[in-house]
Amino acid sequence: MKRDSRLTIILIIIVGFLTVCPVIMLVFGSFSEGLSAFGKFTLEKYIAAYTDPELPKIISNTVIFVLGAALVATILALFLAYLNNRTDIPGKFLFKVISITPMMIPHILFSVSWVLLLNPSNGILNLILKQFFGLENSPFNIYSLWGMILVEGLLDMPIAYLIIAPAMASFDVNLEESSRVCGAGIGQTLAKITLPVLRPAILAAFILCIVRCMASFAVPSVIGMPGRIYVLATHIYQTISVGFAVDYGKAAAIGMSVLVISITLIFLYRYLTSESEKYVTISSRGYHPTIIKLKKAKIPLFFILGLLLFILIALPVLVLIYTSLVPYSMVPSAKAFSMMSLRHWNAVIKDPISILSLKNSLFLGIFGATVGVILSLFVAYTIVRIRTKMSGILESLSFLSFSFPGIVIGIGFMWFFVRTPIYATIWTLLIGYIATYLPYGIRPLSSAFVQIHKHLEESSKVCGAGPLTTMRRIIIPLLVPGIVSGWILMATMFLRELSLSVVLSRPGSEVLAVQILRFSGDGLWGRLSALGIIMIVISTTLVALVSFIGAKLQPAIK
Amino acid sequence: MEIRIKEVSKYYYSEGKTIKALDKVSLTIPSNQIFTLLGPSGCGKTTLLRCIVGLETPDSGEIIIGDEIVWSGKDGINIPTEKRGLAMVFQTYAIWPHMNVYNNVAYPLQIQKIPKEEIRKKVEKTLRFVKLEGFEKRPATNISGGQQQRVALARALVAEPKVILFDEPLSNLDAKLREETRKELRSFLSKLQITAVYVTHDQIEALALSDIIAVMHSGHIVEIGSPREIYFNANHQFVADFIGRANLFKAVVKAQEHDKTIVSSDIGTFVCQKREFPVESKVILCIRPEFIYLKKDRITEEETTGEQNVISGQIDNLIFIGEAYEGEVRIGKEHLMVKLDPETSLKKGDTVNLVVSSNHCLLVSA
Ligand SMILES: Nc1ncnc2c1ncn2[C@@H]1O[C@H](COP(=O)(O)OP(=O)(O)O)[C@@H](O)[C@H]1O
Ligand SMILES: [Mg+2]
């Protein structure tokens, strides 16, 4: 027991440092004069930040963007979850693909591929349409609020799906059946029973999407900035990027309100998810939801599903491959194919910064995820198994970073790191990544712990095994699936990390996403695409490799 | 090995309330006996067992196994579970799903770093003992509940511990299998020189399996004795009521004879087993249904010796349950549960004489 509380305290210190330190530094920073001068207390930064004449426009953009994208994501997710769980739509395995793809395709590349397709000057789709209909002007302009909303909505849909689908699947079907017995039709039952009962889950998904959209940097920077549509994230970025008047204090002052809103929403989210677990109870007896026969709607709906998959996965990859091979943006044609070459690929491979960023990201992905999973393992153990008041504190602490908008927390860390010798090294990124993405490692591991009955562990102790042996022979093998999914989640997120990196990355510690952002700023679409494809190949290979190793390690558990 | 438990208390705090799971429990569990902790659900049996094995830390008291103090509040001794050298069969069996039967059973020996060949021999022997030879290679989750239960038993026995603890090991089996396994368990344990501490809430299991039974009630040990003592001669109303079924009536002691006690109750005057209660004190009269004989005819002279109590009443209710009839007999305003032969010719509404031997009229304190 003493051992347990010592472990809990050590973890509280580590996780507390990771999550509370950047917040405190951000608060201090927002009241101080500049990055190097902590010194005097000043309200100047707040005054400067909140009297900015640009701010009202930025806030209204942010609200429209965030709510719009969250709405798109939630509605799409609801639609897909219903199709998967409650209808006889064919090809159900496709839903699994939808829920894991966001790990394969980095948000920045997804956004870039839409820019390549729909930008007003030479977007491929625009070019095709102009040619086909003989139009003067491009029919679409991705550099707009609706463009941002659509792309962000598609990107966040899987998050909403992962919350709504399980709630939909565990829904007690008797509730619906009794409504049908009372004489309500399918539509009425859906509106009056199904959706209201699922409301906490739907709301939770919506709120989480809002938090993710607020933290999103890829879409606002790649799609918003060229169209001069600024949201809070890009506004903060501008305040600290070289070339503008760099002002970390002002950035922190703006960041404070983003952070406060995020934290509030995340705790609301937590309340709602615990509520929805209470609400939607699965009976332990064999349970089969009534499946609604789609009949004539089956084919069109399946077509929509296929289209969505195509848009989410195939289209961005195809666009990037194509762009990496043609010399400049052009309509796919015989001429284009004849002009294809590997010159962009060569340029990327010869570019020392691209290679450095590749190495750095690989290191951060593999090493960072390993460290992250080990930490998550101990935290999950403490939260699920020790269950004291102290481990409750640990849980709240680790949950806190769920709300962290990368760019804001990056600024908080910046204040801390400039005072340490690791400033401007890759270690700042490592620490920042783990702090920001810790919940993604903890979640799969704590649900794995929940599934391992306490007796399995205790009986090992009774057999004479010490805590380490029990860990090695009983707990770890049973945790392999959780460890694998936690590792994959963290590694892919680290590999593609952008929003924290744009703040913390310095010459020498460049990472892939930052390099891609730079290419996009310079309009070097060919090189960007080549590097992007390399990035996608790496994360897909990693995922495949680790899943394979996991399957090997995992003896047949029936 | 003997286990001594001295004034062990364990409190839980939940939702602002204190639950006294164990309240100064003192107990000696003798060597090489099957000792059962029997009591209703929530009375603290599992807590006590877990304190013995070290999975739970008591709040105060002392636990001594053999000559070793394994836990002591005042001396700050706490030997961790893995160093206590005990064996335990969990209610859920706790079979590790990622290992086959062989590795599950071999685990305690592997921990002790015994040579492989020796492990193989011991595991084989133990599996033969629990009648599971040939199951070595099976995934441990791919066998029936009864077989899992025996794997758990084999794992507990393989290292030849001096003490084995059972926490309701049969409660996850269906009724028929439970009965068979209970008999097997009894024969397994009686072949070994081992102290077994067995926890159950099932009185039949406790009676059939144990050498000694300790009845628990809300964190206290109420009574300890052999199955026969507990069944026939309980000293407490709770025990009499919990073990089997009992008719309980308020009564007042009227006289003390040299080997009998005489009481008067709402259903008449009874000659009872001798108990040292003062005359005129209030007691509870306890009569088990299975010891009440019903007769339709008049009672003959020889049947009414001083040893027998005879009262008459009317059958109010009869329910056929296969092996017997369960009946209710009305005597004045009171009702008495009785048990009748399944071939009885008595019917509802019949007036009958009830005969109860004084040996089966138990007095417990009110
Ligand atoms: N971890 C715990 N936290 C709070 N209360 C507990 C805990 N474990 C047991 N209890 C309480 O202690 C009492 C005794 O529990 P237990 O020993 O499991 O009973 P039994 O095994 O006899 O059914 C019960 O009232 C139970 O609710
Ligand atoms: Mg119990």
Side-chain angles (χ1 to χ4, degrees), chain B residues 106-165:
Chain B
Y107 189 86
L109 303 176
Q110 289 165 350
I111 297 296
Q112 292 174 16
K113 304 217 159 51
I114 288 174
K116 275 218 168 70
E117 189 49 28
E118 205 174 318
I119 293 183
R120 201 184 51 76
K121 275 193 204 137
K122 284 194 176 180
V123 171
E124 230 165 57
K125 188 177 135 221
T126 316
L127 283 178
R128 205 171 326 118
F129 183 71
V130 298
K131 305 202 181 104
L132 275 178
E133 60 261 82
F135 279 74
E136 286 88 346
K137 291 280 172 313
R138 288 272 203 105
T141 45
N142 204 2
I143 52 180
S144 73
Q147 288 163 341
Q148 287 195 9
Q149 206 269 332
R150 278 184 284 165
V151 172
L153 180 64
R155 182 174 65 194
L157 294 176
V158 76
E160 293 165 20
K162 295 278 189 298
V163 178
I164 182 167
L165 310 167

Side-chain angles (χ1 to χ4, degrees), chain A residues 455-456 458 460-461 473, chain B residues 50 82 92 96 98 107 110:
Chain A
H455 285 173
L456 294 178
E458 289 177 347
S460 164
K461 282 192 199 165
R473 296 234 12 218
Chain B
R50 288 170 62 85
E82 59 268 22
T92 56
W96 298 304
H98 59 301
Y107 189 86
Q110 289 165 350

Side-chain angles (χ1 to χ4, degrees), chain A residues 181-226:
Chain A
V181 172
C182 294
I186 292 181
Q188 268 177 309
T189 304
L190 184 66
K192 291 210 165 131
I193 307 292
T194 316
L195 290 180
V197 171
L198 289 174
R199 190 168 53 208
I202 296 171
L203 261 177
F206 183 65
I207 287 172
L208 194 60
C209 284
I210 289 180
V211 173
R212 300 317 311 161
C213 294
M214 252 193 337
S216 163
F217 184 68
V219 171
S221 62
V222 174
I223 300 176
M225 288 201 336

Side-chain angles (χ1 to χ4, degrees), chain A residues 68-325:
Chain A
L71 208 61
V72 170
T74 311
I75 290 173
L76 265 179
L78 195 58
F79 169 70
L80 287 175
Y82 193 80
L83 275 189
N84 183 18
N85 288 304
R86 309 306 303 279
T87 69
D88 61 346
I89 193 151
K92 296 221 166 171
F93 69 94
L94 293 176
F95 291 94
K96 188 114 194 155
V97 179
I98 285 185
S99 61
I100 57 170
T101 41
M103 293 193 262
M104 314 290 174
I105 299 173
H107 290 192
I108 185 160
L109 293 177
F110 191 79
S111 318
V112 164
S113 69
W114 282 96
V115 167
L116 292 173
L117 278 173
L118 292 180
N119 79 69
S121 52
N122 59 3
I124 299 169
L125 207 59
N126 275 332
L127 290 181
I128 293 175
L129 290 172
K130 272 205 292 198
Q131 204 173 35
F132 196 78
F133 294 105
L135 298 174
E136 278 290 301
N137 294 319
S138 295
F140 296 110
N141 179 9
I142 188 78
Y143 298 138
S144 57
L145 260 178
W146 72 257
M148 292 168 69
I149 288 173
L150 226 61
V151 175
E152 185 68 40
L154 284 173
L155 278 173
D156 288 331
M157 179 273 286
I159 294 178
Y161 180 82
L162 285 176
I163 297 168
I164 295 174
M168 193 86 91
S170 62
F171 183 81
D172 184 355
V173 79
N174 284 344
L175 297 177
E176 274 183 346
E177 281 167 355
S178 52
S179 153
R180 301 286 296 281
V181 172
C182 294
I186 292 181
Q188 268 177 309
T189 304
L190 184 66
K192 291 210 165 131
I193 307 292
T194 316
L195 290 180
V197 171
L198 289 174
R199 190 168 53 208
I202 296 171
L203 261 177
F206 183 65
I207 287 172
L208 194 60
C209 284
I210 289 180
V211 173
R212 300 317 311 161
C213 294
M214 252 193 337
S216 163
F217 184 68
V219 171
S221 62
V222 174
I223 300 176
M225 288 201 336
R228 313 200 57 66
I229 299 163
Y230 288 95
V231 294
L232 282 169
T234 36
H235 180 55
I236 293 171
Y237 175 64
Q238 250 197 351
T239 324
I240 57 162
S241 1
V242 189
F244 301 87
V246 179
D247 191 340
Y248 276 87
K250 189 175 157 197
I254 307 165
M256 279 305 294
S257 39
V258 179
L259 188 65
V260 167
I261 295 170
S262 287
I263 292 177
T264 316
L265 286 175
I266 270 304
F267 279 90
L268 184 63
Y269 160 81
R270 178 146 95 154
Y271 168 75
L272 283 169
T273 40
S274 64
E275 199 69 355
S276 84
E277 271 154 29
K278 238 185 284 167
Y279 229 42
V280 182
T281 44
I282 327 161
S283 41
S284 53
R285 21 190 180 99
Y287 151 79
H288 297 283
T290 34
I291 297 289
I292 290 156
K293 293 220 160 47
L294 291 173
K295 298 186 195 121
K296 272 193 209 129
K298 204 169 186 170
I299 301 300
L301 282 172
F302 184 67
F303 179 76
I304 292 176
L305 176 66
L307 186 70
L308 210 58
L309 265 168
F310 177 75
I311 288 176
L312 277 172
I313 304 159
L315 193 62
V317 176
L318 287 177
V319 169
L320 290 175
I321 293 178
Y322 176 77
T323 310
S324 77
L325 294 173

Side-chain angles (χ1 to χ4, degrees), chain B residues 48-330:
Chain B
L48 183 54
L49 205 67
R50 288 170 62 85
C51 285
I52 295 175
V53 76
L55 292 169
E56 208 75 70
T57 320
D59 291 318
S60 63
E62 202 167 68
I63 300 174
I64 303 160
I65 300 174
D67 334 305
E68 190 184 19
I69 301 177
V70 294
W71 197 86
S72 167
K74 62 177 193 301
D75 298 337
I77 298 171
N78 185 10
I79 310 268
T81 302
E82 59 268 22
K83 302 262 163 58
R84 293 194 186 182
L86 307 178
M88 178 161 173
V89 176
F90 286 80
Q91 190 167 11
T92 56
Y93 312 144
I95 301 291
W96 298 304
H98 59 301
M99 299 180 185
N100 60 19
V101 169
Y102 179 89
N103 279 323
N104 261 286
V105 176
Y107 189 86
L109 303 176
Q110 289 165 350
I111 297 296
Q112 292 174 16
K113 304 217 159 51
I114 288 174
K116 275 218 168 70
E117 189 49 28
E118 205 174 318
I119 293 183
R120 201 184 51 76
K121 275 193 204 137
K122 284 194 176 180
V123 171
E124 230 165 57
K125 188 177 135 221
T126 316
L127 283 178
R128 205 171 326 118
F129 183 71
V130 298
K131 305 202 181 104
L132 275 178
E133 60 261 82
F135 279 74
E136 286 88 346
K137 291 280 172 313
R138 288 272 203 105
T141 45
N142 204 2
I143 52 180
S144 73
Q147 288 163 341
Q148 287 195 9
Q149 206 269 332
R150 278 184 284 165
V151 172
L153 180 64
R155 182 174 65 194
L157 294 176
V158 76
E160 293 165 20
K162 295 278 189 298
V163 178
I164 182 167
L165 310 167
F166 295 89
D167 190 3
E168 314 223 8
L170 305 183
S171 62
N172 282 331
L173 303 177
D174 57 54
K176 195 102 187 193
L177 192 57
R178 184 156 47 206
E179 205 173 309
E180 278 168 34
T181 316
R182 185 180 75 211
K183 284 180 193 146
E184 264 178 8
L185 199 58
R186 167 99 224 185
S187 87
F188 288 151
L189 291 176
S190 54
K191 282 180 205 155
L192 300 167
Q193 285 290 313
I194 198 165
T195 307
V197 185
Y198 191 99
V199 159
T200 181
H201 67 271
D202 182 325
Q203 26 118 0
I204 299 182
E205 213 169 286
L207 292 171
L209 205 59
S210 325
D211 296 318
I212 304 173
I213 296 175
V215 181
M216 280 188 79
H217 179 44
S218 49
H220 295 273
I221 302 281
V222 185
E223 203 165 324
I224 302 181
S226 72
R228 291 185 66 86
E229 282 165 351
I230 294 284
Y231 185 76
F232 288 112
N233 293 335
N235 286 319
H236 296 82
Q237 183 184 344
F238 174 78
V239 177
D241 199 21
F242 186 70
I243 307 278
R245 302 187 318 143
N247 294 295
L248 300 172
F249 300 100
K250 289 194 182 110
V252 178
V253 177
K254 284 297 168 202
Q256 287 287 12
E257 293 174 6
H258 91 278
D259 63 345
K260 295 284 168 249
T261 302
I262 294 164
V263 300
S264 106
S265 75
D266 286 348
I267 56 168
T269 301
F270 278 80
V271 182
C272 304
Q273 248 187 51
K274 175 80 177 172
R275 281 292 146 93
E276 295 302 336
F277 290 113
V279 174
E280 288 305 323
S281 64
K282 288 195 171 129
V283 293
I284 301 283
L285 168 64
C286 163
I287 306 171
R288 295 196 184 282
E290 50 271 40
F291 299 123
I292 301 173
Y293 298 100
L294 269 66
K295 289 200 102 178
K296 199 164 183 182
D297 325 320
R298 279 200 34 234
I299 306 292
T300 56
E301 280 298 310
E302 357 157 349
E303 277 168 329
T304 51
T305 56
E307 302 289 295
Q308 308 280 40
N309 299 291
V310 180
I311 39 173
S312 79
Q314 193 180 29
I315 298 180
D316 241 14
N317 217 340
L318 271 185
I319 299 167
F320 181 60
I321 58 159
E323 56 183 24
Y325 272 102
E326 282 182 357
E328 251 179 36
V329 176
R330 190 159 50 86

Side-chain angles (χ1 to χ4, degrees), chain A residues 13 21 29 63 106 136 154 187 216 249 277 283 322 324 355 360 368 371 392 395 406 422 462 481 506 545:
Chain A
I13 292 171
C21 158
V63 170
E136 278 290 301
L154 284 173
S216 163
E277 271 154 29
S283 41
Y322 176 77
S324 77
I355 296 301
N360 283 343
V371 175
E395 188 184 5
I422 59 168
V462 176
R506 285 285 173 275
L545 204 67

